[in-house]
Amino acid sequence: MNRIRLLPEQVANQIAAGEVVERPASVVKELVENALDAQASRVIVEIGAGGRSLIRVTDNGVGMSKDDALMCLERHATSKIERAEDLQSISTMGFRGEALPSIASVSRFTLVTREASDQSGEATQVTVTGGKIANVSTAGGPPGTSIEVRQLFYNLPARRKFLRTEETESAHTQHYLTLVALARPDVGLTYVRDAATVWQLPPAQGRDKFESLQERMNAVSGQLTGLIPVSFRATLPEFFGEEESASDRVDHSLHIWGLIGSPGISRSTRDDQHLFVNNRPIENRGLNYSLMEGYHTALMKGRYPVCCLFLEMHPTHVDVNIHPSKKEVKFHQERSVKTFVTEAIRQALLQYHSRPGAVPTPAPVILRPKIAEAPDVSSGGNEELPVPPETTTPPLVLRGEAQARLETQIPLPSHPIHPWPQRTDPFPGPTSASSPAAPIGGQALAASLLRVPLRLVGVVGRLYVVLESDRGLVLLDQHAAHERILFEQMLERMQQNSQAPSQRLLLPETIELSIRDAEFLKQQLGELSRLGVGLSEFGERTFLLDALPPFVKAQNPKLFVVGLIDELKSAGSEVNSLRLGEHVVAKTVCRHAVKANDPLGGPELEKLVEDLRKCEMPYTCPHGRPTLIEMNFRELEKKFGRSQ
């Protein structure tokens, strides 16, 4: 008796629908991707009852002929790829040819399409019920394609039962459309829910892509402030595999651009982190870690950055065919990509402080009232701290200049880098944490805050220094500011040391790790030795720990090594002696920094501000708390009812 048989085509399509069509938002995603691949400049999405009763996507793309309209309903029928080699270089949103037949097999499906070059005015209409073509006819219609999906999962009651409420399903659809709206500001997008228009977004009219992105972000998320433009280029290390020879090399350039939140702008979740690879919204845990690493010491614990970032590379460097719904991607040189993203974010934040402003050089603090004199504590915390030296491996450096180069794995090309459009105040001004103009939370600061004259007004609560600028009111936390100053001073001393101090353990410890951790640690042994950590191989998966830096107090050596491995993995190739000692330095400067209730006189406050201006990351303390808060005159007038 034969027990193995071929599945009927309809059953196979329904099984495929289980992978492709998870919920109504999945249908919207597949149809909108097809519209974008069809070069549509306008897309209209309509849903009813959360997508249960109606999903309709209409576009003005190239459209299809009658033969293509029938062929697109066959499994694995696609115009995107022809050969297996094409899977190595996918530049379209869709490519598998499963979406339309899968959707049609679990719904009442109607397709109306007309080629843009067809001047007859007649469109092709195809009606499908449960995967079976019910009718093919001629209908009137504009150029482009309109697909209507009714009664989703009507023939699969079990799947329909697992759908959530109408509000939940609508929220999933709107979240996806938000990503599309951000990815393609050049495309007009209309969203209609239950016959009510939610969005009607015209193509962005910004003078450049940063303005267009800001305009689209404001349209879908409200007026956002305190965003920093990011734009850097690099070159991936060249790799020649079997599929690529030196004669047909692909482009190895890598470009990241977009907008990120300035120090102090953060969320308690990752909901406002939007990442795109070649305009495809993606999920990649490695990039999330890289983003956090770029914000190192600029965010409080438990907070996440806000960003809308676009990573552009040749399609051969990224695999988008690893997930049925194409949400996740895999980079062929993931370590290099992660390192590049981290360094680009870090350099953008460093440039934020030195961004051109109204005053080309740091302006002095202008003392207005006379403050009582107090002992000078600004030089506190200068005791020598036993720390390891900077690693001899040159750090990865990314500069926003034409001659900039990534000096380790990712050398930059010789063409100019354009960090952002050079014009006056291209983005909205500062706002406070309580301002309704900053719904994403946090404190936004103008980039030139420490580059304009500041007049000392007084001290509130013997902690908060009140300053006045030509834009409004500025509050400075004297403890947080002094923490940042001492933190960077100590790190600089650590970098200047030439030898890594190391202290032998009285009783060496053997540590057994998993295979993956052991292989990773073997690659880091040389670096760890230079940092004062005495680790050596003691077997296939066993290591001997016999020395530690003096400032490391490890009661449980195994937990220390496992934690060190996690730290190294999350920070990537740029981990050095600073990372091993940063938490100790942060605690040390917290003890030595001026405290609340420490009275500071005018000269001390003036020196505090001047030293803060010299810091690379002056807007947060080492723990990520803000050092400065600004409230401009517009906000003050609004709070006092002088403006609406």
Side-chain angles (χ1 to χ4, degrees):
M1 177 180 176
N2 295 331
R3 291 178 295 177
I4 299 176
R5 64 187 67 87
L6 289 174
L7 285 174
E9 183 178 358
Q10 184 178 2
V11 177
N13 282 336
Q14 289 182 353
I15 293 174
E19 295 182 343
V20 177
V21 185
E22 178 184 0
R23 61 192 339 139
S26 305
V27 176
V28 173
K29 175 181 182 295
E30 299 293 343
L31 299 183
V32 171
E33 285 182 353
N34 283 343
L36 296 176
D37 286 340
Q39 305 170 23
S41 62
R42 186 185 71 253
V43 179
I44 302 173
V45 179
E46 304 170 71
I47 68 170
R52 295 168 182 261
S53 63
L54 170 67
I55 298 173
R56 184 186 296 119
V57 176
T58 305
D59 67 69
N60 64 343
V62 296
M64 292 181 285
S65 65
K66 180 178 179 180
D67 291 341
D68 284 345
L70 294 172
M71 181 60 71
C72 75
L73 296 171
E74 300 291 334
R75 284 197 73 193
H76 306 304
T78 177
S79 62
K80 316 296 175 56
I81 60 175
E82 297 179 359
R83 308 172 302 166
E85 291 76 11
D86 293 339
L87 290 174
Q88 308 301 321
S89 182
I90 296 173
S91 58
T92 54
M93 301 296 289
F95 52 90
R96 295 195 183 107
E98 290 182 297
L100 293 184
S102 299
I103 295 169
S105 69
V106 293
S107 66
R108 303 186 188 278
F109 181 97
T110 303
L111 166 68
V112 179
T113 183
R114 173 186 154 199
E115 286 187 295
S117 59
D118 187 350
Q119 302 298 323
S120 66
E122 292 184 351
T124 300
Q125 178 174 307
V126 182
T127 303
V128 184
T129 303
K132 296 182 179 180
I133 296 179
N135 182 50
V136 180
S137 61
T138 300
T145 303
S146 176
I147 296 179
E148 183 178 281
V149 178
R150 292 187 177 272
Q151 295 179 295
L152 185 64
F153 298 135
Y154 81 97
N155 52 351
L156 294 175
R159 292 290 305 275
R160 191 173 179 88
K161 180 180 68 174
F162 279 94
L163 293 179
R164 303 300 182 184
T165 64
E166 294 182 10
E167 291 75 15
T168 300
E169 298 299 341
S170 297
H172 282 284
T173 298
Q174 186 162 340
H175 172 69
Y176 170 71
L177 292 178
T178 298
L179 298 179
V180 173
L182 294 175
R184 295 296 301 273
D186 59 314
V187 175
L189 182 62
T190 300
Y191 175 41
V192 179
R193 183 179 63 206
D194 296 323
T197 301
V198 179
W199 287 340
Q200 194 164 6
L201 307 176
Q205 301 296 323
R207 288 175 293 178
D208 54 50
K209 60 185 179 182
F210 292 99
E211 276 197 350
S212 297
L213 179 59
Q214 176 81 63
E215 181 183 326
R216 185 55 65 88
M217 290 179 71
N218 291 343
V220 300
S221 303
Q223 294 294 320
L224 304 180
T225 59
L227 299 179
I228 305 172
V230 178
S231 182
F232 290 99
R233 296 183 184 274
T235 299
L236 287 168
E238 294 187 3
F239 171 78
F240 302 117
E242 295 180 358
E243 73 285 352
E244 182 187 1
S245 64
S247 60
D248 57 1
R249 291 187 234 175
V250 299
D251 183 9
H252 290 275
S253 64
L254 188 64
H255 182 210
I256 186 171
W257 72 276
L259 299 170
I260 62 174
S262 58
I265 297 287
S266 63
R267 286 288 303 269
S268 58
T269 67
R270 289 191 173 95
D271 289 347
D272 278 322
Q273 289 183 11
H274 304 307
L275 302 174
F276 305 87
V277 174
N278 295 340
N279 282 340
R280 180 190 301 275
I282 59 102
E283 297 174 4
N284 184 279
R285 185 173 297 181
L287 291 186
N288 291 133
Y289 281 132
S290 298
L291 185 62
M292 290 292 293
E293 188 64 23
Y295 271 88
H296 185 59
T297 75
L299 285 176
M300 287 186 288
K301 187 176 181 180
R303 305 293 294 183
Y304 297 94
V306 174
C307 74
C308 185
L309 288 174
F310 296 81
L311 198 58
E312 298 174 355
M313 64 181 69
H314 195 276
T316 55
H317 292 301
V318 57
D319 187 356
V320 301
N321 194 27
I322 65 170
H323 193 278
S325 63
K326 304 186 289 290
K327 290 181 180 179
E328 300 177 10
V329 299
K330 183 177 181 180
F331 301 105
H332 293 306
Q333 301 185 50
E334 185 156 353
R335 183 175 179 181
S336 297
V337 173
K338 288 166 58 178
T339 302
F340 170 69
V341 171
T342 296
E343 198 62 21
I345 299 299
R346 189 176 73 87
Q347 289 295 333
L349 292 175
L350 292 176
Q351 288 185 354
Y352 174 72
H353 174 48
S354 59
R355 183 176 170 183
V359 180
T361 56
V365 175
I366 302 176
L367 300 178
R368 194 162 62 184
K370 179 65 175 177
I371 306 296
E373 295 294 331
D376 184 3
V377 297
S378 60
S379 59
N382 287 329
E383 299 95 12
E384 288 297 324
L385 184 69
V387 293
E390 174 72 5
T391 173
T392 56
T393 302
L396 184 66
V397 178
L398 185 64
R399 310 176 184 89
E401 302 291 344
Q403 296 81 15
R405 292 184 178 275
L406 279 171
E407 296 174 354
T408 54
Q409 291 186 340
I410 315 178
L412 282 175
S414 58
H415 50 72
I417 298 175
H418 304 287
W420 48 67
Q422 297 295 325
R423 59 181 186 280
T424 304
D425 196 18
F427 298 101
T431 182
S432 69
S434 59
S435 171
I440 55 177
Q443 172 66 34
L445 295 172
S448 57
L449 177 58
L450 288 173
R451 299 174 62 86
V452 299
L454 296 174
R455 294 177 292 277
L456 180 62
V457 177
V459 180
V460 177
R462 306 185 75 177
L463 173 62
Y464 302 108
V465 181
V466 183
L467 303 164
E468 180 187 4
S469 72
D470 56 356
R471 297 195 299 257
L473 177 70
V474 178
L475 294 176
L476 180 144
D477 184 328
Q478 66 182 32
H479 175 70
H482 201 210
E483 272 190 307
R484 167 55 67 176
I485 295 167
L486 295 180
F487 181 75
E488 293 197 6
Q489 288 176 351
M490 285 192 175
L491 289 186
E492 185 177 356
R493 294 212 307 272
M494 290 171 66
Q495 289 177 329
Q496 294 172 353
N497 287 343
S498 57
Q499 296 294 328
S502 183
Q503 184 173 338
R504 306 286 294 186
L505 298 182
L506 184 62
L507 296 175
E509 298 275 353
T510 57
I511 299 167
E512 188 171 350
L513 302 173
S514 66
I515 294 178
R516 294 182 62 183
D517 285 347
E519 289 299 322
F520 176 81
L521 190 58
K522 288 177 183 178
Q523 301 173 6
Q524 308 293 330
L525 289 179
E527 180 71 14
L528 292 175
S529 176
R530 288 192 293 270
L531 304 182
V533 180
L535 270 172
S536 58
E537 295 186 55
F538 201 64
E540 185 178 358
R541 296 189 294 116
T542 306
F543 296 83
L544 184 68
L545 178 67
D546 58 6
L548 286 173
F551 57 83
V552 174
K553 307 300 179 183
Q555 296 180 352
N556 189 323
K558 181 174 181 179
L559 290 180
F560 165 75
V561 173
V562 172
L564 182 60
I565 292 172
D566 292 339
E567 187 79 3
L568 289 168
K569 286 181 177 179
S570 65
S573 62
E574 285 310 294
V575 172
N576 50 34
S577 58
L578 305 187
R579 178 53 54 86
L580 294 178
E582 272 184 357
H583 66 287
V584 177
V585 174
K587 290 180 181 179
T588 301
V589 299
C590 187
R591 292 195 301 267
H592 289 289
V594 294
K595 305 294 191 297
N597 299 321
D598 285 350
L600 297 183
E604 288 78 20
L605 293 175
E606 180 179 1
K607 187 176 189 304
L608 191 67
V609 176
E610 289 303 315
D611 288 344
L612 190 62
R613 284 186 170 127
K614 299 174 184 177
C615 291
E616 289 187 338
M617 299 284 287
Y619 297 109
T620 60
C621 76
H623 311 291
R625 292 189 296 268
T627 58
L628 295 157
I629 292 177
E630 182 181 27
M631 184 176 294
N632 58 35
F633 288 122
R634 182 180 59 184
E635 295 174 84
L636 290 172
E637 290 171 353
K638 193 171 184 179
K639 288 182 178 294
F640 282 99
R642 292 180 176 273
S643 64
Q644 300 298 323

